[in-house]
Amino acid sequence: MSAVMTQPNTSRPVRAKGGHRTDIQGLRTVAVMLVLLYHAGVPFFSGGFIGVDVFFVISGFLITGLMLREVSRTGRIDLADFYARRIRRILPAATLVIVVTLVLAMLILPPLRWQDTALEAAAAAAYVANWVFAAGTGYQNAGASVSPLQHFWTLSVEEQFYIVWPLLLIAVLVLMRRKARAAGISEPLSESRFRRWALGAALLVAVPSLIWAVVATARTPEVAYFVTTTRLWEIAIGALLAILAPQLSRIPARVALVLGYAGAAALVVAGTTFVVGEIPFPGPAALVPTLATAAIIISGLEGRDTQGIGRPLSLRPMRFVGDLSYSLYLWHWPLIVFATALLGGTLTPVWGIVMCALAFAPAYASYRFVEVPFRDWGRVKRSSWAAIRSGFAMIMITVVTAATVFGFARITGAEQPVAENAQGARVLTDDVSDDDLSSFEGSGTPVDVVSDGIAPAVLEANKDNAQHYGDGNCHRDYEGTEPADCAFGDTDSSTEVVLVGDSHAANWAPALIEIAEEQGFKLTVHTKSGCAFAPADQVKQGGSYPECREWVDAVYDEIEATSPDVVITSNEGSRGIMKGGEILPEGEWETVLENAYEDIWDGLTQQGIDLVVIADTPEMGHHVPECVSEHPTKLTKCSTPRKEALEEIPRPELDAAEEVDGVEVISMDNWVCPDADNCPAVVGNTLVWRDSHHQTASYSESLADPLAEKLGEVWQ
């Protein structure tokens, strides 16, 4: 597992005098403290997430420097030794944190989260966690709780880079040797020539990755944040610094000092002014922390690591925290997530600071008794293969622990019986024409224990989606802009009804599909994640959402062309609206959205299309299946006061409907929240919600008869 392509070169590698960059240890402290203060929710550190970008550049610089020095010293890159060093450095502490996190997850988190945490642990052990978290950024997972292992995405990005990067450098050595042989050159290849070729390899990684980061961040920032392809360039910047160190070290001392201070100032500005959602990341904005870090690293070349900005960075406290930075990064996030769960879902900055301070204890312990001893253990230090075998054993320990937790999750879920004949809203009354709460005679009142089980199974609640989500060409995700070719019921019927809106419109698809099949009309469904059917500039996860406006215009044109008999629309009431590139504050976005509704609805009614607005559904304020899994014998804990769920949510669609002639409004509030005081989690042995504001398909289907009754009252 090595490539021997050059003869040893005795030239001195460019580095800080003494061979150890004390300023980089201090820079690690800056990076980890930025992350900790950001995660703690401390005011004025809204951009602390840039700490991971600092880590990426440092990593690329140091690891590439090690490989360059190995080539200079031995004429080769020993892959077995390279990966053995990575294992000794990374795996012991990571394995300990993952295993402890899995145990604490079972003690603190709801059983519903055990399964996901176990899968995420396995992904973290395999260093593919970033792709798992990227796949979970879609709208359907927007309400999901944050994973206690989410921070492992950065380690996954790094290790994926270090699978590719050493191989590229070995390929450079191979190509250089072959080219030299073809030219009849027998003397050893020079280090300077190797660096030139390595420079090309680094640019081959950095440039496409940076371009893709800009493109992907503009399109899907939530996915771009996690994926490896948009982050490779940041580590490659560090690699470029190591490769160009001989040239960069010639920068005059005064210029280097200015660079260091400028880099530090840029980190302070970015760390205190960048805001998630307002600045697309990791697009062009990521150049600020990465280039700032590069400037600080350059300033410390040629023994200047204790001069200028290097002086405060090299102070003993800074170096001490820098030594702990890896363990501190690993421990702080699970503590924050678990504290948030124990404190009812909200963590104040004070508690956030307390958790980060407490993280120093396990961080020091794991550094002192796990990291250092394993790294210096003679057996794994002497033998690369012994280290690799130890690494494999640690990965297997993590996987086995994760599998055990996953099994417990399935067993716990199996212990909660699944109702075989759940009735849902059908138990409320036999007279669907009367939805007065008194007519339900208490059948919708929350109870602590439900006999005969609950359907769907709590562990499967997130999959109990409307049918059209799984039909491939129906529901549009964030990226989709074209109208769907999606019809149900009697598709040959001359009567067509269109359901259009965001995922809250999709709440009603199961009921409407059943109605269409029973009454024999054609139901066309147009729904899109996080996109109200309104010609307004809407917001997606804190950023612009041009795909939404494109989809709204395209669907409107489709409806105009087909001229259906009835259009039914429903949309989430609370959403971000932009104007002039800025997100409008409360009190302004409602007016803009109301006007947009009025414009598009007026256009439809002017064409003679009947328009029905279903008032927005309640907002439960918590993840209902998680709560039910945690309190199977105290289900009342999972209910929400009716006033909070219904009366305190914005409903701009109701105000807009009053301004447009021919618009009918129906409310299903009493069927979804069939109690005068509290909205229950379970009705008729049926789980009402699959998260905090989306109904299960099972419960929606049980609303077919009352919804048909309501629609019959307004249809001519």
Side-chain angles (χ1 to χ4, degrees):
M1 294 181 68
S2 65
V4 182
M5 303 312 303
T6 72
Q7 295 297 318
N9 190 310
T10 58
S11 62
R12 180 179 63 86
V14 178
R15 56 186 178 185
K17 291 179 180 178
H20 180 69
R21 289 287 298 270
T22 55
D23 60 335
I24 287 183
Q25 286 303 91
L27 190 54
R28 281 178 166 144
T29 297
V30 172
V32 76
M33 292 309 297
L34 281 170
V35 173
L36 264 62
L37 291 170
Y38 168 67
H39 285 160
V42 177
F44 311 116
F45 286 94
S46 60
F49 56 87
I50 66 166
V52 299
D53 305 276
V54 177
F55 277 128
F56 284 151
V57 177
I58 292 174
S59 175
F61 174 72
L62 294 178
I63 302 303
T64 302
L66 286 173
M67 287 190 286
L68 292 174
R69 288 194 288 275
E70 182 181 5
V71 170
S72 176
R73 185 179 67 254
T74 69
R76 68 179 187 175
I77 294 176
D78 189 327
L79 274 181
D81 183 60
F82 175 82
Y83 291 123
R85 288 198 304 267
R86 295 301 295 167
I87 287 169
R88 293 200 307 267
R89 173 74 177 94
I90 299 295
L91 271 182
T95 301
L96 176 63
V97 170
I98 294 174
V99 171
V100 171
T101 298
L102 285 168
V103 173
L104 290 177
M106 294 185 67
L107 296 174
I108 297 173
L109 300 182
L112 184 61
R113 295 182 62 183
W114 299 356
Q115 183 171 293
D116 288 341
T117 304
L119 293 173
E120 290 154 0
Y127 291 98
V128 293
N130 63 316
W131 295 101
V132 171
F133 293 123
T137 58
Y139 182 80
Q140 292 306 309
N141 294 304
S145 301
V146 178
S147 167
L149 296 171
Q150 183 165 295
H151 60 321
F152 271 81
W153 76 268
T154 60
L155 275 70
S156 297
V157 169
E158 281 196 39
E159 297 316 305
Q160 289 165 39
F161 178 86
Y162 292 126
I163 290 174
V164 175
W165 184 228
L167 296 176
L168 274 178
L169 291 183
I170 289 175
V172 165
L173 290 170
V174 171
L175 289 174
M176 289 177 65
R177 173 57 64 188
R178 287 182 177 177
K179 188 172 182 180
R181 286 176 177 171
I185 301 173
S186 59
E187 64 266 19
L189 300 177
S190 68
E191 180 186 353
S192 61
R193 188 161 178 245
F194 171 67
R195 285 178 180 268
R196 288 196 297 271
W197 280 61
L199 175 64
L203 290 173
L204 187 64
V205 174
V207 174
S209 174
L210 176 57
I211 294 172
W212 178 243
V214 173
V215 173
T217 301
R219 292 178 177 176
T220 55
E222 61 286 343
V223 175
Y225 190 85
F226 289 109
V227 297
T228 308
T229 49
T230 62
R231 295 287 188 168
L232 291 175
W233 68 272
E234 300 187 40
I235 309 176
I237 282 182
L240 287 167
L241 293 176
I243 295 167
L244 295 172
Q247 291 75 32
L248 295 172
S249 65
R250 297 171 191 155
I251 293 175
R254 290 184 179 179
V255 175
L257 291 177
V258 172
L259 275 177
Y261 284 118
L267 287 182
V268 170
V269 171
T272 56
T273 62
F274 282 13
V275 179
V276 173
E278 293 185 8
I279 296 181
F281 212 86
L287 285 166
V288 176
T290 51
L291 294 182
T293 303
I296 294 173
I297 291 174
I298 292 170
S299 73
L301 291 172
E302 277 299 280
R304 294 188 294 259
D305 56 316
T306 58
Q307 301 174 25
I309 194 62
R311 182 168 298 173
L313 290 176
S314 298
L315 292 174
R316 187 172 181 178
M318 296 291 284
R319 287 185 282 117
F320 174 74
V321 177
D323 289 340
L324 301 182
S325 60
Y326 175 58
S327 284
L328 191 54
Y329 177 80
L330 291 180
W331 283 108
H332 87 283
W333 183 244
L335 293 182
I336 285 178
V337 171
F338 292 138
T340 302
L342 290 172
L343 293 171
T346 302
L347 192 74
T348 64
V350 172
W351 275 110
I353 293 173
V354 169
M355 290 301 105
C356 289
L358 289 176
F360 275 85
Y364 177 78
S366 62
Y367 173 75
R368 175 70 176 80
F369 301 110
V370 178
E371 276 191 69
V372 174
F374 190 88
R375 190 176 62 212
D376 296 337
W377 183 20
R379 182 179 179 184
V380 297
K381 203 169 184 179
R382 288 189 302 268
S383 170
S384 297
W385 287 105
I388 291 171
R389 287 193 296 270
S390 297
F392 180 76
M394 285 184 278
I395 291 174
M396 291 308 300
I397 288 172
T398 300
V399 171
V400 170
T401 306
T404 302
V405 173
F406 186 90
F408 271 114
R410 303 301 298 182
I411 292 170
T412 301
E415 289 176 351
Q416 298 178 354
V418 179
E420 295 183 0
N421 190 29
Q423 295 297 303
R426 301 180 188 91
V427 303
L428 297 175
T429 180
D430 293 329
D431 183 6
V432 295
S433 65
D434 184 5
D435 68 349
D436 188 275
L437 292 175
S438 61
S439 69
F440 297 160
E441 298 181 348
S443 55
T445 301
V447 295
D448 284 330
V449 179
V450 176
S451 59
D452 301 325
I454 298 172
V458 175
L459 287 178
E460 306 298 327
N462 65 322
K463 301 176 183 177
D464 197 36
N465 270 344
Q467 176 183 342
H468 75 292
Y469 275 102
D471 280 1
N473 197 36
C474 287
H475 182 78
R476 292 288 181 254
D477 58 14
Y478 282 137
E479 289 74 42
T481 59
E482 295 299 318
D485 181 15
C486 186
F488 299 91
D490 183 356
T491 56
D492 295 323
S493 173
S494 59
T495 301
E496 182 180 10
V497 176
V498 171
L499 172 65
V500 61
D502 60 14
S503 61
H504 282 211
N507 275 338
W508 303 108
L512 285 168
I513 290 172
E514 189 167 314
I515 295 170
E517 292 173 348
E518 290 180 355
Q519 298 187 8
F521 61 80
K522 177 183 178 181
L523 174 68
T524 301
V525 179
H526 296 294
T527 58
K528 179 172 172 63
S529 295
C531 181
F533 185 56
D537 294 328
Q538 299 177 47
V539 174
K540 174 184 65 177
Q541 296 186 348
S544 63
Y545 195 4
E547 300 89 351
C548 175
R549 185 63 178 266
E550 292 179 34
W551 176 81
V552 170
D553 292 342
V555 170
Y556 181 84
D557 291 342
E558 177 79 8
I559 293 174
E560 188 176 45
T562 58
S563 190
D565 299 275
V566 180
V567 169
I568 301 173
T569 186
S570 187
N571 302 280
E572 184 176 6
S574 180
R575 67 181 58 252
I577 300 295
M578 302 185 78
K579 189 173 183 179
E582 299 291 331
I583 299 177
L584 296 177
E586 187 175 352
E588 294 184 25
W589 68 263
E590 296 93 336
T591 301
V592 173
L593 185 57
E594 287 172 21
N595 292 337
Y597 281 141
E598 291 171 17
D599 289 343
I600 201 166
W601 293 350
D602 187 64
L604 293 175
T605 56
Q606 290 296 324
Q607 298 174 50
I609 298 173
D610 292 337
L611 184 67
V612 178
V613 176
I614 302 179
D616 190 23
T617 50
E619 167 61 62
M620 294 295 282
H622 59 272
H623 196 282
V624 175
E626 281 186 9
C627 181
V628 171
S629 74
E630 186 176 12
H631 305 288
T633 60
K634 197 70 175 176
L635 294 177
T636 51
K637 286 181 174 289
C638 304
S639 61
T640 299
R642 184 182 178 92
K643 183 176 181 180
E644 293 180 16
L646 286 168
E647 298 177 23
E648 296 182 5
I649 62 171
R651 286 181 164 181
E653 75 278 8
L654 300 185
D655 294 327
E658 294 180 358
E659 303 298 324
V660 182
D661 293 335
V663 174
E664 300 287 350
V665 177
I666 64 175
S667 171
M668 295 293 289
D669 288 354
N670 287 354
W671 294 100
V672 179
C673 182
D675 182 70
D677 299 315
N678 296 287
C679 297
V682 177
V683 174
N685 295 88
T686 304
L687 192 62
V688 180
W689 306 98
R690 58 182 173 85
D691 51 29
S692 64
H693 57 114
H694 293 106
Q695 295 163 200
T696 60
S698 299
Y699 192 74
S700 178
E701 289 171 357
S702 75
L703 295 171
D705 288 343
L707 180 58
E709 180 71 20
K710 291 275 188 179
L711 292 172
E713 294 173 2
V714 299
W715 285 354
Q716 301 299 323

